[in-house]
Amino acid sequence: MLFLVLARKTYARNLQYRSAHLVHNIASALFGFIYVSIWMGIGENRPLGEYGLTGIVSYVAFNQASLWVAAFLTNGLGMEQSVRTGQIALDLMRPVHLFYHLMCKEWGQIAYQFVYKFLPIYALYFFVLPLHVPSSWQTFFWTAAALSLAAYITICLNYLIGALALWTTESRWLYWVNYAFSMLLSGFLIPIEWLPKTLADISRSSFYPYLHYIPTRIYLGMEDRSALIGAVCWCAAFTFLCLAATGFMRRKVEVQGG
Amino acid sequence: MIKWLRMYRLLIAASIRSRMEYRFNFWFSTLMAVIINVVEFLMLAVILLKFGHIKGWTMEECGYLYAVLTLSKAIYRTAASDVHHLEKYLVGGDLDALLLRPIPILLALMSQNFQLKAGELIQGTAILTICMGVMIRQGQMTWTAIPLTMVVIMSGAVLLFAIGLLTATAGFWILRIEELQNITEDAARTAAQYPMSIYPNWLQWLLIGGIPVAFANYLPSLYIVRQQMDWWIIPLSCAVAFLVLGAALAAWRVGISRYQSTGS
């Protein structure tokens, strides 16, 4: 029940900024057009492997829309700000685990971004691009499952980044470093099999493919649900890490304000 | 004018001293910025390594576009970091403190929180040197391209600053400008990192006539790198940069006269 209350409150708070977020969608859609144009330029006179030109356009467009579910979450789950204001001390004293508390709020953020960012951008691309649409509801279901697991991994990552705010004032940089690596290693713009071997190996041994590459390939019908086993394992590992990080945080808290 | 420049230098020196009180933070943020930029460029490099060229633009040519824009942006953000962060001043009422200073408000804003974009400057210079070195050796360009490129970088910095200032000035009316900056600064700059011939016509015209970032690197490079345009594109690019700057300064003057503090 607490999950629903916290998630709903975050969702409702975001509703206040709907018009500003819709302007943001224009920028996001524009980024997508830039990436699609790059591949159209490349694919003009070349075969593009198993994707083909239409496939790669769908791949990039779907990735751009799914950024709002799998990548663009609250920086450090807002913990940097909490450390600055001293709010973190209160949050750690609450009768609910800090990770669960922040995660519930973030699911509300994700739900909002799905409705007001993912869906409008997806709809726009559906009308103006040759976007592939799965014919089977099962593909939609497994894509949704893959995106949910991607969102959970990103929540955990942001929790760990936010936790570092207790020890450094510069933790927000790690959010952008993670974002930059994610763009390269998650297959967001370039499918992983086209990365140079070293980068492809690094990517495959990390969690990054489960953020974009796997969900989008499931959406395009190029992977089956068994590809999600890896994502589940990474989710379990990250949950353990987040719980361990909270243990460290509880030992000593130094806030910057209050 | 000289008096204001001297004042700007003094304020920048004071800003650097205050930042260097947190030495670890300074170097950590510089290192992180380097990593982010290298990874960003790797995305472009990987595509070009795999496919050779984008619509006839080779690795060196795309690297040139990327490096010129990176350097222009680094100069703009180094010289006027907090113009990009005006929203924070408007929403928090921090602009009030700047209004009390006996110097132009824009100058005071530009000298706040000085950030030397060392990472971008080093990376941009390295990529530009490598790309121009290869193209000069191949006879694609001559040594005259070096001073011309420096002019284009400075003109691009003025243009990006002017676009940034115009966007920030909108904050006097609409208060929240982050979303707008995403379009006029982030998306437009990302688009300009790639050869514009890959874009549909409407997007090309938007980047030439609407948010004219094409004048920061792509259009001048059509003369310097590809010899597809005549020499006049260089002075035209400079003229566009100063024209937009004039418009931005005029808008700023109107905007500042409409400023209403948030109170405390």
Side-chain angles (χ1 to χ4, degrees), chain B residues 8 63 70 111-112 146 174 181 183 185 188 212 235 246:
Chain B
Y8 176 71
T70 299
S111 59
Q112 292 283 302
I146 296 172
I174 60 173
Q181 283 174 328
I183 298 173
E185 295 201 57

Side-chain angles (χ1 to χ4, degrees), chain A residues 9-18 21 108-109 112:
Chain A
K9 279 186 184 295
T10 309
Y11 188 96
R13 180 170 52 78
N14 272 291
L15 284 176
Q16 305 299 319
Y17 305 103
R18 258 177 301 183
H21 291 157
Q109 180 80 22
Y112 172 83

Side-chain angles (χ1 to χ4, degrees), chain A residues 27-215:
Chain A
S28 187
L30 206 55
F31 272 105
F33 280 121
I34 293 166
Y35 298 137
V36 164
S37 299
I38 293 168
W39 282 112
M40 283 184 157
I42 292 169
E44 210 173 38
N45 304 311
R46 297 188 190 90
L48 292 172
E50 62 177 317
Y51 298 92
L53 188 55
T54 315
I56 201 76
V57 165
S58 297
Y59 179 91
V60 174
F62 189 79
N63 273 340
Q64 183 63 29
S66 66
L67 271 179
W68 292 103
V69 176
F72 286 152
L73 305 193
T74 310
N75 187 341
L77 302 190
M79 267 195 276
E80 188 193 5
Q81 198 61 24
S82 297
V83 172
R84 273 182 196 269
T85 59
Q87 176 69 30
I88 190 74
L90 291 173
D91 286 344
L92 280 165
M93 282 194 294
R94 287 182 200 278
V96 56
H97 197 280
L98 181 68
F99 174 59
Y100 183 67
H101 171 213
L102 295 179
M103 182 186 69
C104 294
K105 281 168 52 177
E106 204 56 26
W107 278 114
Q109 180 80 22
I110 291 167
Y112 172 83
Q113 291 185 172
F114 176 76
V115 175
Y116 286 96
K117 296 194 167 186
F118 176 95
L119 289 180
I121 294 171
Y122 181 88
L124 176 71
Y125 289 157
F126 173 77
F127 287 112
V128 300
L129 294 174
L131 185 67
H132 167 89
V133 179
S135 50
S136 140
W137 68 268
Q138 283 168 318
T139 308
F140 277 110
F141 175 80
W142 290 113
T143 305
L147 283 177
S148 302
L149 291 170
Y152 183 77
I153 290 173
T154 309
I155 287 175
C156 293
L157 266 173
N158 272 285
Y159 184 80
L160 295 173
I161 289 169
L164 286 172
L166 266 77
W167 292 280
T168 169
T169 54
E170 298 288 323
S171 70
R172 68 183 177 282
W173 279 99
L174 295 172
Y175 175 87
W176 292 109
V177 168
N178 171 54
Y179 174 69
F181 277 113
S182 165
M183 290 292 97
L184 182 67
L185 299 176
S186 68
F188 168 75
L189 181 61
I190 311 150
I192 289 166
E193 61 269 29
W194 291 348
L195 290 175
K197 190 177 177 308
T198 316
L199 284 177
D201 289 345
I202 294 171
S203 170
R204 287 204 177 92
S205 57
S206 74
F207 55 86
Y208 281 119
Y210 298 103
L211 302 184
H212 289 297
Y213 181 72
I214 297 291

Side-chain angles (χ1 to χ4, degrees), chain A residues 20 23-24 27 31 34 37-39 42 44 46 48 169-170 173 176-177 180-181 183-184 189-190 194 196, chain B residues 25 28-29 32-33 35-36 39 43 46-47 50-51 53 55 179 182-183 186-187 190-191 194 198-200 203:
Chain A
V23 176
H24 211 170
F31 272 105
I34 293 166
S37 299
I38 293 168
W39 282 112
I42 292 169
E44 210 173 38
R46 297 188 190 90
L48 292 172
T169 54
E170 298 288 323
W173 279 99
W176 292 109
V177 168
F181 277 113
M183 290 292 97
L184 182 67
L189 181 61
I190 311 150
W194 291 348
Chain B
N25 291 0
F28 183 75
S29 58
M32 293 296 112
I35 293 173
I36 291 167
V39 174
M43 282 215 305
V46 162
I47 292 176
K50 171 82 181 165
F51 296 99
H53 62 88
K55 258 201 169 172
E179 284 76 19
N182 253 302
I183 298 173
D186 303 335
T190 302
Y194 301 92
I198 64 173
Y199 301 127
L203 190 51

